[in-house]
Amino acid sequence: MNKPQVPDFLKNIRVVLARPSHPGNIGSAARAMKTMGLTRLYLVAPKTFPSDEANTLASGAVDVLEHAVVTATLAEALAGVTVACALTSRRRELTTPLATPRELAPELVARARAGEGVALVFGNETFGLSIDEVEQCNRLITIPGNPDYFSLNLAMAVQVLCYELFSHVEVGVDYLKPDGEAATHEEVDGFYRHLDQTLDAIGYYRRRNGERLMRRLKTLFNRAQLQREEVDILRGMLKQMQRAADGALPPAAASDAPPPDAR
Amino acid sequence: MNKPQVPDFLKNIRVVLARPSHPGNIGSAARAMKTMGLTRLYLVAPKTFPSDEANTLASGAVDVLEHAVVTATLAEALAGVTVACALTSRRRELTTPLATPRELAPELVARARAGEGVALVFGNETFGLSIDEVEQCNRLITIPGNPDYFSLNLAMAVQVLCYELFSHVEVGVDYLKPDGEAATHEEVDGFYRHLDQTLDAIGYYRRRNGERLMRRLKTLFNRAQLQREEVDILRGMLKQMQRAADGALPPAAASDAPPPDAR
């Protein structure tokens, strides 16, 4: 399977950091964005920018920093945006509904896909967003977490939001899956018959309930969802078991290594 | 609404860092865990531990570091575990099914709730998990992301996984929502009638399609899901509009400020 492309509409989603204090967080946020296919970073009155520290922490995402837009006010950073989401972990006396990233992500992705501008707005590391900043947004998002320790680092919050949005984009991880082909029903069935015959031939069923044992073994292998190659390996083992049982090999030569119990 | 408690069964989920190189990542991982209610950290042959750097980056999660279990091998860190998840972003020639955190989280939470031990196993920052380490796990997890830039920092990956697990635990964010009471159907209906009468009284419907306008306004207010307090504010405005229209107030005293257009 070929490597998929990050969809173009993700450029309609911007991350806005309002008054960030620590240059390292700007760099880490850029890296976090790029891992999830986002590239548009807006910085409202950053304390220090650009900086070596931000570049270092951005790692391979320095391009995101180079294209970052620095503005004096939040209003400028929200130009062209229809949905502005204020990230907050405080209880707010506002009647804007408070949503989790999971609840809001499908709408945000749908709007970005339709060409609307979407902004995720993060406040200062220490003070969060001001009331005035929150009032410029039309959505409130809170990341669910430990009620007794809600100390999510700024860049970590950016990572969580970008992850959540990306998980609603059809890029998945299928392209990383090995090509192994699942065995067909006939192949698995052929293996079961072979297993049954072999167990019978080597005397495993003697004084045992063969039907019940076979049922348990089938359940195990069904659960594992056998691959074609694995069926071949298992049937190879069965052939060898039968050959050894038939006395085709002298006992000492059946294996070069002692059995595990003898070690 | 009272602050909810982090459920006790989260102690059955451990985060295992295999051969971490950077002390800062250990501290950031501890903080990431605690924000999502996880506390059990295992460190397999860490390069440096304990350290001041880890303690600094752990912020308020130093307790997680203090209780961290240091082991020489991954096998020791997995003692008692039934489900061990290897985090990997590489294409592996293994037939263990590859899942996303979202796909696997419900099972992991259910098993932890049932008392089973669950481990999330993260590899070294540069080399990831070795083949031998992956083979000691019975699940493979890949965080979906930008196929062209998959450079997720170790602590960020821990944050994403812990966030995903926590989002399947019933601790939502409802306790942060303001107590505002939604208006009932009768209250909203009373407001609509009041609005209709007022618009008629001030002559807004003259030469306009009143029914259509009212329908649009109702749609807007329905979408906003009015609060009881907001209905009171709006009806107060309507009363004042009618009073002003009735000439109860001399025009100049109707407002202390000039209308916006005159500014």
Side-chain angles (χ1 to χ4, degrees), chain B residues 47-58:
Chain B
K47 195 171 171 195
T48 314
F49 186 81
S51 70
D52 289 343
E53 194 182 346
N55 287 347
T56 303
L57 280 157

Side-chain angles (χ1 to χ4, degrees), chain B residues 195-245:
Chain B
L195 179 64
D196 188 44
Q197 287 159 12
T198 311
L199 293 180
D200 192 30
I202 64 170
Y204 178 68
Y205 286 157
R206 239 175 279 152
R207 289 192 298 275
R208 284 195 181 90
N209 181 339
E211 237 175 87
R212 191 180 151 276
L213 286 166
M214 201 55 211
R215 213 158 42 230
R216 286 297 300 262
L217 288 166
K218 281 184 182 178
T219 312
L220 185 167
F221 287 113
N222 284 340
R223 201 168 60 233
Q225 180 85 62
L226 288 168
Q227 302 273 315
R228 176 166 298 161
E229 208 185 314
E230 291 166 343
V231 168
D232 292 344
I233 293 170
L234 290 166
R235 294 192 71 160
M237 282 171 53
L238 294 177
K239 265 185 213 148
Q240 190 61 21
M241 278 163 73
Q242 246 162 343
R243 224 175 276 148

